Amino acid sequence: DIQLTQSPSFLSASVGDRVTITCRASQGISSYLAWYQQKPGKAPKLLIYAASTLQSGVPSRFSGSGSGTEFTLTISSLQPEDFATYYCQQLNSFLYTFGQGTKLEIK
Amino acid sequence: EVQLVESGGGLVQPGGSLRLSCAASGFTFSSYSMNWVRQAPGKGLEWVSYISSSSSTIYYADSVKGRFTISRDNAKNSLYLQMNSLRDEDTAVYYCARIAVALGDAFDIWGQGTMVTVSS
């Protein structure tokens, strides 16, 4: 099975900051990676697919990069509504593993 | 509006059974592969099961294999998860989610979730 490791698990930042979350895969997954945002009590929301393509309607301050085993999600200038938990997910092979999540909190 | 709505969650004793449903609307359900994903209280997301559009291909996470059965009825625009031999560790919010092949198989539409609590 492919394992995904996100870092950091917790991140404290301020409005306007630039933040980066990393997701590492235990084996190469090409660009078959997605990023989701989840707010408390809500379903996850797709932000980025194919490692770097922004889902329709998602603000351009979100960006993704990487391929193979290392991927990043960057938020260029944090907004109040961005404080949430972020998950990466590999779609290269069943089982569709998720990373353990990164909780982004207000400093 | 494209929508998925889960139902069927509740409180069940260990060893018991429960059947979850997911009603789809606003899109051609029969054209999409579907999944169940769960989230235990305070924990991360765990993929549970996959079913292709025609039901010809099905996969399960090791944690539920042999106990859970995924199925669908394209005529009723519905997805199901039959859960048997339930354990405490199956307690979670269960989401159904649509796969978008055009988006690299990402899960583009999610339901609001239904809570399953396994407890005596």
Side-chain angles (χ1 to χ4, degrees), chain B residues 55-66:
Chain B
S55 303
S56 60
T57 302
I58 286 174
Y59 294 102
Y60 298 100
D62 288 345
S63 57
V64 306
K65 199 175 296 181

Side-chain angles (χ1 to χ4, degrees), chain A residues 36 38 43 49 87 89 94-95, chain B residues 39 47 59 103 105 107 111:
Chain A
Y36 301 87
Q38 187 181 32
Y49 62 92
Y87 295 92
Q89 181 197 27
F94 303 101
L95 321 156
Chain B
Q39 186 170 36
W47 172 81
Y59 294 102
L103 307 185
D105 284 358
F107 295 7

Side-chain angles (χ1 to χ4, degrees), chain A residues 19-60:
Chain A
V19 299
T20 297
I21 300 169
T22 298
C23 178
R24 289 188 174 86
S26 59
Q27 62 190 78
I29 58 171
S30 185
S31 296
Y32 289 96
L33 189 103
W35 289 96
Y36 301 87
Q37 176 193 67
Q38 187 181 32
K39 296 183 178 179
K42 300 295 187 182
K45 172 189 173 183
L46 176 64
L47 296 177
I48 287 171
Y49 62 92
S52 61
T53 305
L54 205 62
Q55 169 66 332
S56 176
V58 174
S60 59

Side-chain angles (χ1 to χ4, degrees), chain B residues 68-101:
Chain B
F68 289 12
T69 302
I70 191 172
S71 63
R72 64 190 295 161
D73 185 335
N74 287 341
K76 294 183 178 179
N77 292 329
S78 293
L79 174 72
Y80 306 102
L81 187 67
Q82 177 67 43
M83 303 186 296
N84 298 332
S85 303
L86 283 161
R87 306 167 179 168
D88 290 352
E89 55 265 34
D90 295 318
T91 294
V93 174
Y94 284 74
Y95 297 100
C96 58
R98 185 181 85 168
I99 283 185
V101 173

